[in-house]
Amino acid sequence: MDEQVGGPGAGGGKMAAAVAGPELRCVGFVGAGRMAEAIAQGLIRAGKVEAQHVLASAPSDRNLCHFRALGCRTTHSNQEVLHSCSLVFLAIKPHVLPTVLAEVAPVVTSEHTLVSVVAGVSLSTLEEEGAMVMARGRHAGRSDAELLQTLLEACGQCEEVPEAQVDIHTGLSGSGVAFVCTFSEALAEGAIKMGMPSGLAHRIAAQTLLGTAKMLLQKGQHPAQLRTDVCTPGGTTIYGLHALEQGGLRAAAMSAVEAATCRAKELSRK
């Protein structure tokens, strides 16, 4: 079966799949970089799989040591991962993918679920407040999608979307982590300019973003509604918003997501 996952971040990825049954005996990772490590950590911490039932492969020990520190098994053989595991994450760079697929193709069977993680999704998108999306391919059944979604939710929010939206998710959530950090930094620097100590300014800016995000998620409101609720006529907020509009914040943010999405589409074609 085929599926795609986007995630942080993260949060993106492509996958092909089929599962032998409801019991997940072993989870494999071909590639042992930051994304693979983050997913493995999430699965282990949530109790979805025991560390000794995780097997990761990589050409060198440079990243495998992080998996061994988690209590996972490691190997330098990609085929060994396929022989041992029915669910395998292909956490490798796009330019390496064709070579790896050719290598493992002889040992792939209909009992395998292969998950190819999209390039460019940061580790941050898979942490506690992470967000991922997944898209089902033509060979993926509902039970396969549900299994994968249940597993990935151990790493953060995971929603199923059409395949065409996976690259958009990369531009919004995967790259969005950097966009939000830039905005947080700018907020803090504004306070620093007005005389607030740097450390305090950055803590308050981060807490403001966290509190706002929680309110949006918990209340399910459109951001414009929450903005209106805190905007008093003739008050400080409307003056600040006017300055943001003069600076083109809204257009710049939209263009940033568009540019990141277009780049994600370019990478997926390589």
Side-chain angles (χ1 to χ4, degrees):
M1 69 183 95
D2 302 294
E3 294 185 65
Q4 270 195 311
V5 172
K14 298 188 177 176
M15 32 188 186
V19 229
E23 181 184 1
L24 192 63
R25 292 186 295 274
C26 183
V27 176
F29 291 87
V30 173
R34 293 189 306 162
M35 274 288 291
E37 181 188 352
I39 294 174
Q41 279 185 339
L43 298 180
I44 294 168
R45 288 175 180 172
K48 300 293 185 180
V49 63
E50 295 181 11
Q52 63 266 31
H53 293 156
V54 173
L55 176 62
S57 66
S60 70
D61 287 329
R62 187 172 56 121
N63 292 326
L64 290 178
C65 62
H66 301 302
F67 274 81
R68 287 195 285 267
L70 294 173
C72 306
R73 295 180 292 128
T74 63
T75 177
H76 295 304
S77 170
N78 294 331
Q79 287 196 356
E80 181 181 346
V81 175
L82 273 295
H83 281 305
S84 302
C85 307
S86 60
L87 174 61
V88 178
F89 288 85
L90 302 176
I92 51 183
K93 301 292 185 182
H95 70 277
V96 180
L97 185 60
T99 302
V100 172
L101 289 179
E103 177 189 353
V104 301
V107 295
V108 174
T109 72
S110 60
E111 302 301 314
H112 283 103
T113 300
L114 304 181
V115 184
S116 173
V117 182
V118 153
V121 179
S122 71
L123 177 63
S124 303
T125 65
L126 290 181
E127 292 176 342
E128 290 184 5
E129 300 297 331
M132 292 170 286
V133 294
M134 55 175 286
R136 245 189 283 177
R138 41 190 189 128
H139 299 301
R142 177 176 296 180
S143 61
D144 304 316
E146 289 175 351
L147 169 63
L148 189 60
Q149 188 168 6
T150 298
L151 290 173
L152 291 178
E153 282 176 346
C155 306
Q157 178 186 349
C158 181
E159 298 190 31
E160 185 173 355
V161 300
E163 182 179 359
Q165 294 181 15
V166 172
D167 288 329
I168 303 173
H169 176 270
T170 299
L172 173 62
S173 181
S175 300
V177 173
F179 306 157
V180 172
C181 284
T182 300
F183 181 63
S184 181
E185 182 183 21
L187 282 178
E189 288 178 345
I192 294 168
K193 180 182 179 182
M194 301 311 296
M196 181 177 286
S198 176
L200 178 60
H202 283 287
R203 288 195 300 274
I204 291 178
Q207 186 61 46
T208 300
L209 293 177
L210 176 62
T212 303
K214 286 185 175 179
M215 281 193 289
L216 287 172
L217 291 172
Q218 290 169 0
K219 294 185 178 182
Q221 288 180 313
H222 190 282
Q225 181 60 53
L226 181 56
R227 183 193 66 213
T228 301
D229 291 345
V230 300
C231 194
T232 304
T236 61
T237 304
I238 190 62
Y239 273 71
L241 286 172
H242 186 203
L244 289 177
E245 292 293 350
Q246 287 178 318
L249 173 69
R250 187 188 304 267
M254 293 172 65
S255 295
V257 175
E258 180 182 18
T261 300
C262 290
R263 180 55 177 161
K265 291 180 183 295
E266 291 175 2
L267 290 174
S268 67
R269 288 195 295 266
K270 290 183 178 180

